[in-house]
Structures are given as C-alpha cells and as structure tokens.
Amino acid sequence: MGAGRWGTHLLRNFLAHPQVEVRAVVDPHRPLLATAAARFDLDDSVALLEQWEEALDIDGLGAVAIATPATTHTAIATAALKRQLHVLCEKPLTLTASTSAALCQLAQQQHRQLFVDHTYLFHPAVIQAKANLDRLGIPRYGYAARTNLGPVRHDVDALWDLAIHDIAIFNYWLNQTPVAVQAQGLSWLDNRSLADVVWCRLRYGSGFEATLHLCWANPHKQRQVSMVCDRGSLVFDELQADSPLVLQLGYPAPETFQPQELDTVVLEVPGQEPLATMCDRFVCSVLTNQPSTVSSGTVGTDLVAILEALSQSLTQQGQWIAMG
C-alpha cells in the first residue's frame, strides 16, 4: 500500500520474488497507480485501488506491505491484522510506543507476523560490521552523521525523519537499547517549529555512548556510522561505494600512549540490495509464521520509544531522559 518512492521499490522487489504473487497496488493518487502499472507492465490480475480498505477484501490475500505516511500506519496495520493478514510496515511502525506495542499484541493474538522495514538492518555492510566487532575489542563510543541539503519534511522534524536508521544500527551492533537519551536542535526554515538540525546522545547500560548529527539543510552530504573500541575502530561510510566498510586498527601503548599495531583493513561487502534481502526475510517470516529476529514489531516498538524520549528531551532543552 502506497505507490510513492519507497512503495515503488517494495513493489519492484515483491514482483521479482519467486514466492510472491502481487494482487493489488494501492494509492489514493491515480497518476501514481498509472505510473506503477506502466513501469512494471502490470496486467489485469493486479488490481489498482485508491482505497486501502478495498485491498483487504481481496480473496486469498495473505499479507500486506504498508509504505504510507506514518500517521496512517496504525489504522491500516490494525485492520490488516484483524483480517488475519501478515503485515510489513515501513518505519517508524507508529508515532507512539503505546500504539506500536498494541499492534505487537494484536499480531500475537492473531498469530500473524508484524515485520518492520528497518532496511539498514539487512544491509550487508552493517551485518559484516557486526561480524567483525570482536576484532576491535571493547566498544567505547560511537558517532554518526546523516546530513544533506534536503529533502525537507513537513510532517515530522529531522529527528523523526533521520535518526531511526543510526539508532537501529547501534542497537543491532551492541545487542542493547539505550538506558538514557538526550537531544538538542535548531529550527530556522520558514519559521517552523520543526527542528531542521538535531544532535542526539544515546547512553547504553554498558557505558557505551553514541552521538548523532542529523540535518536536512546541510550541503555536506554524510551517511556515516562509526564505532570506536579499545583495539580499533570501524567506519561504515555509505557514500564510499568501493570501500564502505573499513576497520582502522590501533591503540595507544601502555605508559607511552604511542599508537601501535596500526593497520587499515577494507572489508569486502557482498553486493546485495538491502531492500531485496529485507523483502525476502519478510516472505520467510510469513511462510514459517515465525517472527523476525532482526526487525520484528518489538524491535520497531523499542525504536519508537527511543524517538519519543528524544523528542521529550528536545522540548526540554536537552534534558537527559531515562528509558523505561
């Protein structure tokens, strides 16, 4: 459901999946439906619908993919689960942790899978980085930058638009969620109340801390996540197409603190499309009726709770907020 930019990517992948039969494409804007039908040469077996409620009445439907504005996720996912359908939902799952948790409970009651499209958790570089973290010793701190000149959102601030990717990555690498969070931001475009730049801090129970820089009004495009450990660091730079994942080895020698055992290791990253992997994992979850170990509704709920706490800190001029 949803034939915009991301919905079109989902449609492309599901059409190519050997175990999936696409039964309908839904979008309230008829021109987007026509564009999708022409681009993928859809035949009459694929219904083009403007109302999502109509799609839920299709006989034999087993699952739905939701790529609509976040404000609509709760209503669509709830209706789908109540009709015994598996659900793939674009991030964020909902806009409050309580509604996300309610969807998880409903999915469990209906014995159906609720899967959230946190695509970076299926990125081969993110997976490869996790597999190599032991080479770097004890994690100390991390930092991430996700900036560009646009696109500017009008429904959410830069925090809700951008932060969820890097938070998901750090949680995945650490096998932890933060125990406290803090955020500060500034707004200057069109005198809006939405923050255009945000700096976040995440504090984990192990003592690890991460800092995030998020902005959609910065001509310096950045897509980088790094983790510093006591034996070296890893850098995932999405914009470095030839070498997106690098280990920078080395540490200060005892007493002298001079750098030693310095080395740079470029890790090979498989050429897999993360979204294709995510779609395939969703199909497997549906066919086995088993929850995802990587991006279940529970994972999505935890991330929404973190964003809620960061928003609270943002409105309180950067107060630290303890996670419940």
Side-chain angles (χ1 to χ4, degrees):
M1 297 180 182
R5 182 182 67 87
W6 202 249
T8 299
H9 288 312
L10 287 171
L11 176 60
R12 169 176 56 82
N13 277 285
F14 282 127
L15 286 169
H17 199 287
Q19 294 172 290
V20 172
E21 178 187 358
V22 176
R23 299 293 303 280
V25 181
V26 184
D27 198 283
H29 303 96
R30 174 59 60 173
L32 288 179
L33 292 174
T35 298
R39 176 178 175 181
F40 298 109
D41 194 24
L42 302 179
D43 58 33
D44 292 341
S45 67
V46 181
L48 303 178
L49 306 174
E50 296 181 46
Q51 302 297 324
W52 61 264
E53 293 88 348
E54 295 180 60
L56 302 186
D57 291 329
I58 295 175
D59 289 338
L61 198 67
V64 298
I66 303 171
T68 59
T71 52
T72 68
H73 289 179
T74 300
I76 300 174
T78 299
L81 288 168
K82 286 184 175 179
R83 296 198 181 213
Q84 294 279 299
L85 300 174
H86 300 280
V87 172
L88 167 64
C89 189
E90 175 53 24
K91 59 81 187 169
L93 178 52
T94 71
L95 294 177
T96 67
S98 61
T99 53
S100 292
L103 285 178
C104 291
Q105 184 176 15
L106 179 59
Q108 187 174 23
Q109 291 170 348
Q110 298 294 96
H111 304 290
R112 290 297 178 265
Q113 299 308 313
L114 177 60
F115 197 111
V116 187
D117 178 14
H118 293 294
T119 308
Y120 276 96
L121 298 183
F122 302 92
H123 197 296
V126 173
I127 296 169
Q128 184 79 311
K130 184 179 177 70
N132 280 272
L133 274 176
D134 287 346
R135 299 173 63 178
L136 302 177
I138 300 171
R140 286 178 167 165
Y141 75 95
Y143 53 95
R146 193 167 294 272
T147 70
N148 198 16
L149 195 58
V152 176
R153 295 282 295 271
H154 299 281
D155 54 340
V156 295
D157 58 15
L159 169 66
W160 278 83
D161 184 32
L162 302 172
I164 197 167
H165 303 299
D166 301 316
I167 299 171
I169 291 171
F170 279 123
N171 289 358
Y172 173 68
W173 283 348
L174 294 165
N175 291 320
Q176 301 178 53
T177 57
V179 296
V181 300
Q182 184 260 356
Q184 293 176 288
L186 296 171
S187 175
W188 60 80
L189 299 179
D190 295 333
N191 297 315
R192 307 180 314 165
S193 61
L194 298 176
D196 303 306
V197 60
V198 178
W199 296 271
C200 304
R201 292 176 67 188
L202 313 172
R203 181 176 294 161
Y204 292 81
S206 61
F208 182 90
E209 288 200 16
T211 303
L212 280 57
H213 174 202
L214 315 159
C215 186
W216 53 34
N218 186 342
H220 180 202
K221 184 174 183 178
Q222 301 175 91
R223 292 288 185 272
Q224 185 181 108
V225 189
S226 302
M227 181 177 287
V228 179
C229 305
D230 68 342
R231 310 293 290 186
S233 304
L234 70 82
V235 180
F236 168 39
D237 190 340
E238 196 176 351
L239 301 184
Q240 300 298 320
D242 295 332
S243 55
L245 185 60
V246 174
L247 300 183
Q248 296 287 357
L249 304 177
Y251 57 93
E255 298 181 1
T256 67
F257 302 120
Q258 292 299 309
Q260 66 179 22
E261 298 190 18
L262 296 175
D263 195 10
T264 297
V265 179
V266 177
L267 295 177
E268 184 177 348
V269 176
Q272 302 165 350
E273 182 189 6
L275 187 61
T277 303
M278 187 283 300
C279 290
D280 180 68
R281 294 302 90 196
F282 172 62
V283 172
C284 290
S285 186
V286 168
L287 293 177
T288 61
N289 202 17
Q290 294 295 318
S292 168
T293 59
V294 176
S295 197
S296 64
T298 301
V299 171
T301 299
D302 288 342
L303 289 165
V304 170
I306 294 166
L307 289 176
E308 275 194 298
L310 285 166
S311 288
Q312 182 182 347
S313 176
L314 199 60
T315 61
Q316 296 178 7
Q317 289 73 51
Q319 290 292 318
W320 279 96
I321 305 298
M323 299 299 303

Tab-separated table of all heavy atoms in Angstrom, residues 240-266:
chain	number	residue	atom	x	y	z
A	240	GLN	N	30.982	5.849	0.251
A	240	GLN	CA	32.204	5.282	-0.328
A	240	GLN	C	31.840	3.961	-1.007
A	240	GLN	O	31.934	2.889	-0.394
A	240	GLN	CB	33.267	5.081	0.740
A	240	GLN	CG	33.688	6.351	1.455
A	240	GLN	CD	34.315	7.356	0.508
A	240	GLN	OE1	35.084	6.990	-0.389
A	240	GLN	NE2	33.999	8.624	0.704
A	241	ALA	N	31.426	4.036	-2.241
A	241	ALA	CA	30.880	2.856	-2.922
A	241	ALA	C	31.880	1.711	-3.025
A	241	ALA	O	31.510	0.537	-2.914
A	241	ALA	CB	30.396	3.250	-4.318
A	242	ASP	N	33.159	2.026	-3.230
A	242	ASP	CA	34.160	0.977	-3.404
A	242	ASP	C	34.639	0.365	-2.086
A	242	ASP	O	35.099	-0.783	-2.063
A	242	ASP	CB	35.366	1.525	-4.170
A	242	ASP	CG	35.003	1.918	-5.594
A	242	ASP	OD1	34.060	1.322	-6.143
A	242	ASP	OD2	35.651	2.832	-6.136
A	243	SER	N	34.556	1.138	-1.014
A	243	SER	CA	35.037	0.644	0.287
A	243	SER	C	34.175	1.221	1.409
A	243	SER	O	34.640	2.051	2.198
A	243	SER	CB	36.504	1.018	0.507
A	243	SER	OG	36.678	2.427	0.353
A	244	PRO	N	32.913	0.793	1.502
A	244	PRO	CA	32.016	1.377	2.501
A	244	PRO	C	32.321	0.969	3.936
A	244	PRO	O	31.906	1.647	4.877
A	244	PRO	CB	30.635	0.857	2.085
A	244	PRO	CG	30.925	-0.422	1.359
A	244	PRO	CD	32.224	-0.202	0.653
A	245	LEU	N	33.057	-0.142	4.121
A	245	LEU	CA	33.294	-0.637	5.473
A	245	LEU	C	34.793	-0.828	5.702
A	245	LEU	O	35.446	-1.616	5.010
A	245	LEU	CB	32.557	-1.962	5.682
A	245	LEU	CG	32.600	-2.553	7.086
A	245	LEU	CD1	31.971	-1.601	8.098
A	245	LEU	CD2	31.875	-3.891	7.119
A	246	VAL	N	35.318	-0.097	6.683
A	246	VAL	CA	36.760	-0.109	6.941
A	246	VAL	C	37.009	-0.295	8.438
A	246	VAL	O	36.322	0.298	9.275
A	246	VAL	CB	37.417	1.203	6.474
A	246	VAL	CG1	38.890	1.257	6.860
A	246	VAL	CG2	37.257	1.367	4.969
A	247	LEU	N	38.000	-1.131	8.750
A	247	LEU	CA	38.499	-1.243	10.120
A	247	LEU	C	39.788	-0.442	10.227
A	247	LEU	O	40.717	-0.653	9.438
A	247	LEU	CB	38.779	-2.704	10.489
A	247	LEU	CG	37.621	-3.697	10.436
A	247	LEU	CD1	38.096	-5.063	10.911
A	247	LEU	CD2	36.432	-3.219	11.245
A	248	GLN	N	39.835	0.489	11.169
A	248	GLN	CA	41.059	1.238	11.465
A	248	GLN	C	41.620	0.672	12.760
A	248	GLN	O	41.132	0.962	13.849
A	248	GLN	CB	40.747	2.733	11.615
A	248	GLN	CG	40.228	3.396	10.359
A	248	GLN	CD	41.304	3.601	9.306
A	248	GLN	OE1	42.472	3.300	9.528
A	248	GLN	NE2	40.917	4.129	8.153
A	249	LEU	N	42.643	-0.186	12.639
A	249	LEU	CA	43.195	-0.855	13.800
A	249	LEU	C	44.278	-0.008	14.458
A	249	LEU	O	44.956	0.779	13.808
A	249	LEU	CB	43.770	-2.210	13.389
A	249	LEU	CG	42.800	-3.160	12.680
A	249	LEU	CD1	43.514	-4.430	12.249
A	249	LEU	CD2	41.609	-3.474	13.563
A	250	GLY	N	44.430	-0.197	15.761
A	250	GLY	CA	45.453	0.522	16.509
A	250	GLY	C	44.940	0.989	17.851
A	250	GLY	O	43.730	1.141	18.048
A	251	TYR	N	45.886	1.212	18.774
A	251	TYR	CA	45.519	1.669	20.121
A	251	TYR	C	46.751	2.277	20.787
A	251	TYR	O	47.893	1.999	20.387
A	251	TYR	CB	44.973	0.510	20.954
A	251	TYR	CG	45.918	-0.652	21.088
A	251	TYR	CD1	46.793	-0.746	22.183
A	251	TYR	CD2	45.949	-1.664	20.132
A	251	TYR	CE1	47.658	-1.816	22.308
A	251	TYR	CE2	46.823	-2.736	20.255
A	251	TYR	CZ	47.674	-2.808	21.340
A	251	TYR	OH	48.546	-3.859	21.460
A	252	PRO	N	46.566	3.098	21.815
A	252	PRO	CA	47.714	3.694	22.499
A	252	PRO	C	48.461	2.650	23.327
A	252	PRO	O	47.838	1.869	24.056
A	252	PRO	CB	47.077	4.759	23.401
A	252	PRO	CG	45.683	4.936	22.891
A	252	PRO	CD	45.288	3.635	22.300
A	253	ALA	N	49.753	2.643	23.230
A	253	ALA	CA	50.561	1.702	24.005
A	253	ALA	C	50.497	2.060	25.489
A	253	ALA	O	50.374	3.233	25.853
A	253	ALA	CB	52.014	1.737	23.534
A	254	PRO	N	50.554	1.064	26.369
A	254	PRO	CA	50.584	1.357	27.801
A	254	PRO	C	51.755	2.274	28.154
A	254	PRO	O	52.834	2.175	27.584
A	254	PRO	CB	50.748	-0.029	28.443
A	254	PRO	CG	50.241	-0.993	27.411
A	254	PRO	CD	50.587	-0.374	26.080
A	255	GLU	N	51.523	3.170	29.067
A	255	GLU	CA	52.515	4.096	29.616
A	255	GLU	C	52.932	5.175	28.627
A	255	GLU	O	52.837	6.362	28.917
A	255	GLU	CB	53.748	3.337	30.137
A	255	GLU	CG	53.422	2.374	31.267
A	255	GLU	CD	54.647	1.659	31.794
A	255	GLU	OE1	55.768	1.921	31.289
A	255	GLU	OE2	54.486	0.826	32.711
A	256	THR	N	53.386	4.812	27.424
A	256	THR	CA	53.834	5.834	26.476
A	256	THR	C	52.672	6.443	25.698
A	256	THR	O	52.786	7.575	25.206
A	256	THR	CB	54.818	5.233	25.464
A	256	THR	OG1	54.123	4.286	24.638
A	256	THR	CG2	55.972	4.553	26.165
A	257	PHE	N	51.598	5.695	25.562
A	257	PHE	CA	50.407	6.118	24.808
A	257	PHE	C	50.703	6.379	23.340
A	257	PHE	O	49.943	7.069	22.651
A	257	PHE	CB	49.753	7.367	25.441
A	257	PHE	CG	49.366	7.158	26.862
A	257	PHE	CD1	49.903	7.958	27.866
A	257	PHE	CD2	48.470	6.162	27.225
A	257	PHE	CE1	49.555	7.771	29.192
A	257	PHE	CE2	48.114	5.963	28.551
A	257	PHE	CZ	48.664	6.769	29.542
A	258	GLN	N	51.797	5.847	22.855
A	258	GLN	CA	52.110	5.966	21.439
A	258	GLN	C	51.272	4.942	20.657
A	258	GLN	O	51.071	3.815	21.092
A	258	GLN	CB	53.600	5.706	21.196
A	258	GLN	CG	54.507	6.770	21.773
A	258	GLN	CD	54.231	8.134	21.163
A	258	GLN	OE1	54.196	8.273	19.945
A	258	GLN	NE2	54.050	9.132	22.021
A	259	PRO	N	50.769	5.338	19.481
A	259	PRO	CA	49.957	4.405	18.681
A	259	PRO	C	50.759	3.175	18.301
A	259	PRO	O	51.935	3.264	17.936
A	259	PRO	CB	49.597	5.227	17.444
A	259	PRO	CG	49.737	6.649	17.863
A	259	PRO	CD	50.851	6.668	18.862
A	260	GLN	N	50.113	2.021	18.381
A	260	GLN	CA	50.782	0.789	17.984
A	260	GLN	C	49.806	-0.136	17.270
A	260	GLN	O	48.594	0.020	17.370
A	260	GLN	CB	51.400	0.081	19.190
A	260	GLN	CG	50.412	-0.443	20.211
A	260	GLN	CD	51.136	-1.149	21.358
A	260	GLN	OE1	52.319	-0.926	21.611
A	260	GLN	NE2	50.428	-2.023	22.055
A	261	GLU	N	50.408	-1.109	16.529
A	261	GLU	CA	49.652	-2.092	15.747
A	261	GLU	C	48.658	-1.413	14.796
A	261	GLU	O	47.530	-1.859	14.622
A	261	GLU	CB	48.936	-3.092	16.659
A	261	GLU	CG	49.894	-3.912	17.502
A	261	GLU	CD	49.227	-5.053	18.232
A	261	GLU	OE1	48.100	-5.433	17.832
A	261	GLU	OE2	49.822	-5.564	19.202
A	262	LEU	N	49.113	-0.331	14.166
A	262	LEU	CA	48.260	0.402	13.242
A	262	LEU	C	48.079	-0.378	11.944
A	262	LEU	O	49.019	-0.954	11.406
A	262	LEU	CB	48.864	1.773	12.932
A	262	LEU	CG	48.990	2.745	14.101
A	262	LEU	CD1	49.714	4.012	13.672
A	262	LEU	CD2	47.621	3.082	14.651
A	263	ASP	N	46.862	-0.374	11.451
A	263	ASP	CA	46.572	-1.033	10.179
A	263	ASP	C	45.197	-0.584	9.707
A	263	ASP	O	44.342	-0.190	10.507
A	263	ASP	CB	46.597	-2.552	10.342
A	263	ASP	CG	46.666	-3.282	9.000
A	263	ASP	OD1	46.888	-2.610	7.975
A	263	ASP	OD2	46.491	-4.510	8.983
A	264	THR	N	45.026	-0.621	8.404
A	264	THR	CA	43.727	-0.324	7.807
A	264	THR	C	43.273	-1.544	7.020
A	264	THR	O	44.002	-2.034	6.160
A	264	THR	CB	43.808	0.894	6.868
A	264	THR	OG1	44.186	2.053	7.624
A	264	THR	CG2	42.451	1.158	6.220
A	265	VAL	N	42.085	-2.028	7.350
A	265	VAL	CA	41.549	-3.224	6.704
A	265	VAL	C	40.233	-2.865	6.030
A	265	VAL	O	39.281	-2.444	6.690
A	265	VAL	CB	41.312	-4.359	7.720
A	265	VAL	CG1	40.731	-5.581	7.018
A	265	VAL	CG2	42.597	-4.701	8.459
A	266	VAL	N	40.212	-2.992	4.711
A	266	VAL	CA	38.972	-2.773	3.962
A	266	VAL	C	38.243	-4.108	3.869
A	266	VAL	O	38.763	-5.072	3.311
A	266	VAL	CB	39.258	-2.219	2.552
A	266	VAL	CG1	37.953	-2.065	1.771
A	266	VAL	CG2	39.992	-0.876	2.656
